[in-house]
Amino acid sequence: MNRKNFFIIAGILLILILRLAASGYADGIPDLRAGWDELWREMMIDILGIGIVFLAVTIYLLVKYRRKSPNEEGSAKKLTPLAAFGWIVIPVFIFMADDIFLAAKNFTLWNQYRNVPANAMVIDVEGFMWGWDFRYPEGITTTNELRVPVGKPVKLNLTSRDVIHSFFIPDFRQKWDAVKGKQNYLWFSAKTIGEHVITCTEFCGVLHSNMYGKIIVMPENEYNKWVEDNKPKGGAI
Amino acid sequence: MSATASQAITLQSKFSLKEWIFTTDHKRVGVLYLVGSFAAFFVAGIMAMLMRTELASIGPTVTSNPTTYNMWLYFHGAAMILGYQIPALTGFFTNYYVPLMIGAKDVAFPRLNAFSVWLFWMGIVLALLTFVIPDPPDIMWTGYPPYSVITPGNTALYTFTVLLIGFSSIAGGVNFLTTIIRMRAPGITWNKLNIFIWCTMAAFVIQLIFVPILGVAVTMLSLDKYLGTHFFDATAGGTPLLYENLFWFYSHPAVYVIFLPAVGIIYEIVATFSKNRIFNYKGVVYGGIWGTVILSGIVHGHHIYVSAIPDWLVMIQTITTLLISIPVGLLVIGLVGTLYKGSIEFKTPMLYVAGFFFLFLIGGLTGIPNAMSAIYIHIHGTQWITGHFHYVMAVSVTTAIIGGTYYVWPKMTGKMYNEALGKLGFLLFFIGVNITFFFTMYIGVVYGMPRRYYDYAQFPQIEGIQKVITFGSYIILLGALVVLISWIHSLIWGEKAPNNPWGSKSLEWTHTQSPPPQGNYTEPVKVSEDWNPYGYGK
Ligand code: HEM
Ligand SMILES: [Cu+2]
Ligand SMILES: [Cu+2]
């Protein structure tokens, strides 16, 4: 290897390492959506690569070895024991390496999904046939409409009043099952102001596809005002 | 052997319904499976067209009642798996091929075999009752509690359909394992078995181990619903997670019960139409086929990542699931390798195989993200999953089943089919499934469109893509009709088939007529030392 190549390879490695280290930790709170999208993109490149190689080889063989005369027969020889062994061990090794590589990446992201940042606010969610009830720390309750302040991590405690539902926010790449008699959770942190769909992804009967609502991400001060305006006036009524 | 063995009854002899119903001839039993499973495919296919039409626009399209859609979906899923694919593969192809390929006169227990097919037909009839009873099941083919316990739908019908078809499978397993172990003609040693035979053995070993577990799960479901037990009731000390575990403990291995025989058929077609030896036969058999069996029992957890199973289990299951790529990779390498230095002829069956390569490649690769628990969080329960498993199972395996049927057609019916019709059917099918299921995956992962949705008012932006998907599914329907026409055409106008139209070296082509007489071989089969079902190029 000459010196130029060495620097190119070292440079690429360095950039990769820096990118890995930098992904998703801007404000100390992992960005699940960005992390998910990143891993997804890598997966797609990975499988597209394998796919194109396989496809190219298959098409090449299909075209190259078409029958040329009616009585022709195939002429492959029996593999030597060494070749046969190699054709098992080498693929096994490659697949295993790829699998371990993917699994390792997966667990980094999985841990971010399952470890809730310490400063998260907690909202209780109860799924029912067919809708979602929310209860805020201040005692406010809403149905099918979840308001959250922008930039703040939110932990949702999930349960169900009846059958299994699954709480899904496509825009945040986040989802978890809500099961009667169990307390599950998920968390997210909205980066920008806006509205996002919440929808159910576990079959729960006739109106399963109608079991949706929305998340409204608000500026922190507007959210605080909304809480002030709506919180139950203790004992006044 | 049955008492009528000496009478040489062929498909061409005078038609007698009684003889067909009470037959113990494995070839006729096979044909009964074929007819039953294609009937299930047909009805479940109509359900698919209804669902796709319903989804073509937001709001009511065919029906304004979501329960009707749910009934279609229930029937489609259950009938496609339990009524079409498993019986077509482990009923039709095994019955037709196994005794012929090993040079046997029939299966080990012909009456038990007849009983299997009866149970299967009873299961089909029971499943069809879905359309006439007032309270059809609406619990999807997975039947998750608590919904399946509290629904007004008829969960018992589900339980009993599963049990009947399950018993049928167990009887088949006992029968075919015995047949393969005990009835091979002299000279056919283990390492000279057709790949399809190995795949059948592996599939039945899986069935014998895991079907009882499914039986237990669905029985407990009906006990909960009708007799008031609380196995799956979290408020009374039970847990629905138990059902999910039991269900997938069977139903993930069931994927291999479907996959392995399908791949076996593909191997037979590839070897015959490239007139080539199998690439790395032992690696395929001992690494690919049996490796799959060994891993099949320890991966089901990937279906329930977001049902809150312990983290350490998620990790183990992610790794074991990814490891499945090893035996499956070996099977694919064997297939592609068999093309090397072959002499490939593109008759209709071989076209289906080429289709299989492509569809299974997409299906297999899109399965890799599913194994990864963190990625899975977003795609669980979405149309991505629907698209993926239609690629990897529904349509890949259908190319094996239809291609395999074209492949045995001359042997089974004694008639040739029309190549042009055969190729046209394939082309329509191939184009249709790619349009349909590529965009199905797309709306699932990009927009998060969930599966099992009768409507999608919350996703107005995907209505246009939904129309494209529906359009694709109509092309599939057209393809299926052309296939059907080509078969009817062949039965009526087909030319007489020679004994070995493909020039195969496998016993069923070289040693008997088309169609084979009852008893299969006019004289007992004995093969020589240098015989091999793939002994080409000598
Ligand atoms: C070839 C044409 C086919 C078309 C157009 C088609 C279409 C569909 C559609 C639209 C759904 C419902 C998606 C949803 O609402 O969640 C579905 C579900 C399903 N299909 Fe197919 N399908 C076809 C063939 C098959 C085959 C051959 C199988 C065999 C295994 C199969 C197995 C299933 C299963 C298991 C489900 C899921 C049922 C459930 O969610 O419980 N399909 N299919
Ligand atoms: Cu729900
Ligand atoms: Cu739901």
Side-chain angles (χ1 to χ4, degrees):
Chain A
M1 191 190 295
N2 64 35
R3 190 172 297 169
K4 196 173 142 219
N5 284 351
F6 173 80
F7 279 118
I8 292 175
I9 292 171
I12 292 173
L13 280 178
L14 195 68
I15 291 170
L16 278 179
I17 291 167
L18 288 177
R19 274 203 62 184
L20 269 180
S23 58
Y25 276 104
D27 48 2
I29 304 166
D31 184 342
L32 295 183
R33 180 192 167 131
W36 192 93
D37 285 356
E38 172 87 22
L39 188 55
W40 179 262
R41 201 169 325 114
E42 275 179 40
M43 292 290 318
M44 287 298 121
I45 293 169
D46 193 80
I47 66 181
L48 219 64
I50 306 175
I52 289 171
V53 170
F54 253 103
L55 207 61
V57 171
T58 309
I59 291 176
Y60 171 79
L61 293 173
L62 283 172
V63 174
K64 166 127 207 249
Y65 295 107
R66 343 188 263 297
R67 187 162 305 168
K68 312 231 164 51
S69 65
N71 289 323
E72 186 189 53
E73 288 197 359
S75 58
K77 293 275 161 299
K78 194 170 165 40
L79 294 180
T80 61
L82 184 68
F85 187 67
W87 273 104
I88 297 177
V89 172
I90 295 172
V92 165
F93 185 78
I94 295 176
F95 285 124
M96 200 109 101
D98 195 36
D99 291 348
I100 289 169
F101 171 76
L102 291 174
K105 299 213 140 196
N106 175 62
F107 294 134
T108 319
L109 185 60
W110 176 261
N111 286 335
Q112 295 181 359
Y113 265 96
R114 299 315 293 158
N115 293 332
V116 185
N119 61 337
M121 70 183 255
V122 180
I123 297 173
D124 292 329
V125 183
E126 187 178 52
F128 61 93
M129 293 158 86
W130 291 274
W132 304 99
D133 276 343
F134 301 102
R135 168 176 280 275
Y136 296 73
E138 296 81 6
I140 307 173
T141 57
T142 60
T143 299
N144 290 341
E145 197 178 280
L146 173 63
R147 285 170 190 271
V148 296
V150 68
K152 199 165 163 53
V154 179
K155 177 185 184 190
L156 301 182
N157 280 331
L158 299 166
T159 189
S160 165
R161 197 175 304 162
D162 36 57
V163 302
I164 303 176
H165 305 275
S166 201
F167 189 91
F168 180 30
I169 320 160
D171 286 348
F172 296 168
R173 315 284 185 261
Q174 191 43 303
K175 151 180 326 115
W176 208 262
D177 279 5
V179 183
K180 183 182 183 180
K182 274 190 85 156
Q183 181 73 257
N184 293 338
Y185 70 91
L186 61 77
W187 78 273
F188 61 86
S189 163
K191 299 288 168 203
T192 53
I193 294 162
E195 293 190 4
H196 305 275
V197 172
I198 301 166
T199 200
C200 176
T201 54
E202 188 57 66
F203 180 72
C204 57
V206 185
L207 293 186
H208 168 52
S209 56
N210 267 42
M211 188 165 160
Y212 63 92
K214 63 182 170 192
I215 294 189
I216 303 174
V217 185
M218 316 167 80
E220 180 127 27
N221 54 347
E222 277 180 38
Y223 175 78
N224 290 337
K225 182 167 178 308
W226 176 78
V227 169
E228 265 328 297
D229 292 349
N230 289 279
K231 84 172 159 206
K233 315 282 180 291
I237 307 168
Chain B
M1 277 311 302
S2 71
T4 51
S6 52
Q7 290 167 257
I9 303 169
T10 69
L11 286 174
Q12 275 141 345
S13 64
K14 220 169 129 281
F15 182 81
S16 147
L17 190 64
K18 187 160 159 260
E19 257 167 36
W20 274 94
I21 294 176
F22 293 102
T23 186
T24 56
D25 176 359
H26 72 98
K27 298 184 291 303
R28 291 194 160 196
V29 170
V31 172
L32 290 179
Y33 270 111
L34 176 72
V35 173
S37 57
F38 272 108
F41 181 49
F42 182 74
V43 181
I46 292 177
M47 301 297 113
M49 295 305 138
L50 288 169
M51 288 191 290
R52 273 319 321 167
T53 309
E54 178 57 52
L55 292 173
S57 64
I58 296 176
T61 311
V62 185
T63 174
S64 55
N65 182 359
T67 303
T68 309
Y69 182 92
N70 294 340
M71 180 188 83
W72 295 338
L73 183 51
Y74 160 76
F75 188 87
H76 174 79
M80 282 293 192
I81 294 176
L82 298 174
Y84 158 58
Q85 293 201 327
I86 294 183
L89 294 163
T90 64
F92 166 56
F93 285 111
T94 23
N95 262 293
Y96 207 85
Y97 276 134
V98 168
L100 283 173
M101 280 180 173
I102 62 174
K105 283 166 176 277
D106 205 314
V107 293
F109 312 112
R111 282 163 184 264
L112 183 64
N113 201 21
F115 185 59
S116 297
V117 79
W118 285 14
L119 285 177
F120 163 64
W121 273 92
M122 285 183 224
I124 294 280
V125 169
L126 211 58
L128 285 172
L129 287 181
T130 303
F131 301 114
V132 289
I133 59 175
D135 54 349
D138 63 338
I139 55 176
M140 304 297 127
W141 82 284
T142 45
Y144 273 17
Y147 183 72
S148 51
V149 173
I150 67 169
T151 173
N154 194 328
T155 301
L157 194 64
Y158 170 75
T159 300
F160 286 108
T161 306
V162 170
L163 287 179
L164 276 177
I165 294 184
F167 281 131
S168 162
S169 238
I170 290 174
V174 170
N175 209 343
F176 281 99
L177 290 178
T178 314
T179 306
I180 295 168
I181 294 170
R182 301 298 308 248
M183 295 177 66
R184 281 168 291 128
I188 303 185
T189 53
W190 288 111
N191 287 326
K192 286 184 179 177
L193 283 182
N194 287 72
I195 297 284
F196 178 77
I197 302 287
W198 278 113
C199 290
T200 299
M201 285 188 80
F204 276 125
V205 166
I206 296 177
Q207 286 289 66
L208 287 183
I209 297 173
F210 294 101
V211 165
I213 293 159
L214 178 70
V216 166
V218 297
T219 305
M220 286 160 89
L221 207 56
S222 274
L223 290 179
D224 264 16
K225 183 167 164 89
Y226 299 103
L227 297 181
T229 55
H230 299 286
F231 293 117
F232 307 131
D233 183 353
T235 53
T239 167
L241 208 61
L242 174 63
Y243 179 86
E244 293 179 26
N245 264 301
L246 290 173
F247 182 83
W248 288 113
F249 196 55
Y250 166 72
S251 292
H252 191 82
V255 172
Y256 306 116
V257 171
I258 291 172
F259 169 69
L260 287 172
V263 123
I265 293 167
I266 297 288
Y267 265 99
E268 298 307 326
I269 300 177
V270 166
T272 294
F273 285 90
S274 32
K275 295 209 175 166
N276 211 1
R277 63 166 64 247
I278 299 291
F279 182 79
N280 207 356
Y281 178 93
K282 286 184 184 164
V284 168
V285 170
Y286 302 106
I289 298 175
W290 290 103
T292 306
V293 174
I294 287 168
L295 286 177
S296 72
I298 52 171
V299 300
H300 74 282
H302 64 244
H303 291 271
I304 50 179
Y305 284 149
V306 303
S307 311
I309 57 175
D311 267 359
W312 59 268
L313 203 53
V314 169
M315 300 222 172
I316 291 176
Q317 294 283 319
T318 299
I319 293 170
T320 52
T321 304
L322 285 168
L323 290 182
I324 282 281
S325 64
I326 295 174
V328 172
L330 291 177
L331 287 170
V332 172
I333 289 174
L335 275 178
V336 175
T338 302
L339 300 174
Y340 177 68
K341 292 203 170 166
S343 165
I344 303 164
E345 188 183 22
F346 288 97
K347 291 266 172 62
T348 302
M350 190 62 198
L351 271 191
Y352 275 94
V353 166
F356 176 90
F357 281 149
F358 183 76
L359 298 170
F360 187 71
L361 185 65
I362 298 198
L365 291 174
T366 54
I368 296 176
N370 300 353
M372 299 173 60
S373 56
I375 291 290
Y376 187 74
I377 289 179
H378 176 64
I379 55 190
H380 165 80
T382 67
Q383 295 280 354
W384 165 270
I385 303 291
T386 310
H388 156 72
F389 75 69
H390 277 84
Y391 262 111
V392 80
M393 174 172 78
V395 297
S396 287
V397 170
T398 296
T399 55
I401 293 175
I402 296 183
T405 306
Y406 274 111
Y407 178 64
V408 281
W409 190 266
K411 179 64 41 183
M412 181 172 70
T413 63
K415 302 271 180 75
M416 294 308 288
Y417 59 85
N418 179 301
E419 277 295 337
L421 277 176
K423 287 179 176 162
L424 177 67
F426 166 77
L427 216 63
L428 289 169
F429 176 81
F430 185 73
I431 295 171
V433 295
N434 279 300
I435 297 178
T436 305
F437 296 113
F438 176 80
F439 289 107
T440 301
M441 292 196 295
Y442 183 81
I443 55 173
V445 69
V446 174
Y447 298 95
M449 166 75 188
R451 62 192 281 202
R452 300 172 169 178
Y453 266 28
Y454 152 80
D455 202 18
Y456 48 99
Q458 60 274 55
F459 299 103
Q461 61 291 31
I462 64 175
E463 204 175 9
I465 309 180
Q466 290 275 23
K467 287 197 165 54
V468 174
I469 300 176
T470 303
F471 171 73
S473 69
Y474 294 160
I475 302 183
I476 305 177
L477 177 65
L478 210 62
L481 289 177
V482 173
V483 170
L484 188 66
I485 290 171
S486 84
W487 288 342
I488 294 173
H489 174 273
S490 160
L491 285 180
I492 302 177
W493 292 291
E495 285 169 32
K496 190 172 164 1
N499 289 346
N500 189 0
W502 317 134
S504 173
K505 293 266 162 104
S506 190
L507 274 189
E508 77 274 24
W509 299 104
T510 51
H511 279 57
T512 185
Q513 301 104 282
S514 300
Q518 181 145 15
N520 295 342
Y521 296 96
T522 30
E523 51 201 72
V525 177
K526 189 168 181 320
V527 297
S528 60
E529 186 70 22
D530 65 347
W531 173 87
N532 190 294
Y534 308 115
Y536 298 98
K538 283 187 201 151

